[in-house]
């Protein structure tokens, strides 16, 4: 059963990546814009916290860790669940009936309508950066496991 779900998910991903790959420049420009935005936000965090050695009792690494966690959670939501906001439009246009008639879970189909490739890159970068920063800060397996559970 699980294999079937992953196989369907892989098929949806393959179709969506073929659609996205037609517009390579847009994907590249969007991801470069994301990197520029994230680097500028980190620069501002470092500038604000470097004057006093932190904010109150928060060190620069604490604030960066919180920043990475919040953006990782937001990116996970954008990748998997942002299309659920389209459900009212699907009801109004009558397209929801199509998803209800198929032999797949309707929520799974709605989530897979369109994958935001920029959010996928954001998710990978933020999640990896968060766990690297968490490991460098705590060096504790239990805190990494707790963070993984919170992200899921």
């Amino acid at each position: 059963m699980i294999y079937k779900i992953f196989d369907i998910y892989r098929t949806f991903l393959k179709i969506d990546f073929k659609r996205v790959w037609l517009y390579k420049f847009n994907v590249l420009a969007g991801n470069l814009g994301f990197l520029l935005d994230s680097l500028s936000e980190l620069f501002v965090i470092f500038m604000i916290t470097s004057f006093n050695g932190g904010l109150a009792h928060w060190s620069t690494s604490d604030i960066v860790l919180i920043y990475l966690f919040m953006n990782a959670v937001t990116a996970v939501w954008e990748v998997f669940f942002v299309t659920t906001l389209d459900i009212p439009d699907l009801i109004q246009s009558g397209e929801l009936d199509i998803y209800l008639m198929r032999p797949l879970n309707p929520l799974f189909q709605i989530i897979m309508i369109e994958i935001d490739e920029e959010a996928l890159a954001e998710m990978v970068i933020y999640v990896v950066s968060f766990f690297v920063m968490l490991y460098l800060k705590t060096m504790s397996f239990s805190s990494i496991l707790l963070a993984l559970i919170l992200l899921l």
Side-chain angles (χ1 to χ4, degrees):
M1 180 66 181
I2 296 291
Y3 178 74
K4 181 181 177 186
I5 291 171
F6 283 122
D7 190 44
I8 293 170
Y9 192 74
R10 186 178 48 113
T11 304
F12 273 108
L13 280 175
K14 191 186 321 182
I15 291 169
D16 200 59
F17 278 122
K18 284 181 181 179
R19 176 192 61 83
V20 167
W21 204 243
L22 293 173
Y23 307 102
K24 296 173 191 158
F25 181 73
N26 290 353
V27 173
L28 181 64
N31 287 326
L32 287 177
F34 151 72
L35 284 175
L36 183 64
D37 181 51
S38 295
L39 290 175
S40 65
E41 288 174 355
L42 283 172
F43 178 73
V44 168
I45 289 172
F46 283 123
M47 290 300 295
I48 290 172
T49 58
S50 67
F51 289 117
N52 298 337
L55 292 174
H57 298 291
W58 297 85
S59 68
T60 302
S61 60
D62 292 337
I63 295 171
V64 169
L65 192 64
I66 292 170
Y67 165 80
L68 290 173
F69 179 75
M70 291 306 298
N71 282 323
V73 170
T74 303
V76 168
W77 178 80
E78 285 179 3
V79 167
F80 295 109
F81 302 111
V82 75
T83 52
T84 58
L85 297 175
D86 295 336
I87 291 175
D89 296 331
L90 293 173
I91 293 171
Q92 199 168 35
S93 68
E95 293 179 50
L96 186 64
D97 295 344
I98 297 169
Y99 298 108
L100 293 174
M101 295 301 291
R102 291 181 185 159
L104 292 173
N105 184 339
L107 184 59
F108 179 76
Q109 294 178 69
I110 291 169
I111 288 172
M112 294 304 301
I113 288 173
E114 184 177 325
I115 298 168
D116 188 0
E117 65 285 341
E118 293 168 8
L120 191 63
E122 290 177 27
M123 182 183 73
V124 169
I125 290 170
Y126 280 133
V127 168
V128 168
S129 301
F130 171 72
F131 282 111
V132 167
M133 184 75 175
L134 187 65
Y135 178 75
L136 293 175
K137 183 150 181 59
T138 64
M139 302 267 184
S140 166
F141 179 72
S142 61
S143 62
I144 292 174
L145 187 61
L146 177 64
L148 182 62
I149 290 170
L150 286 175
L151 265 177
L152 295 177

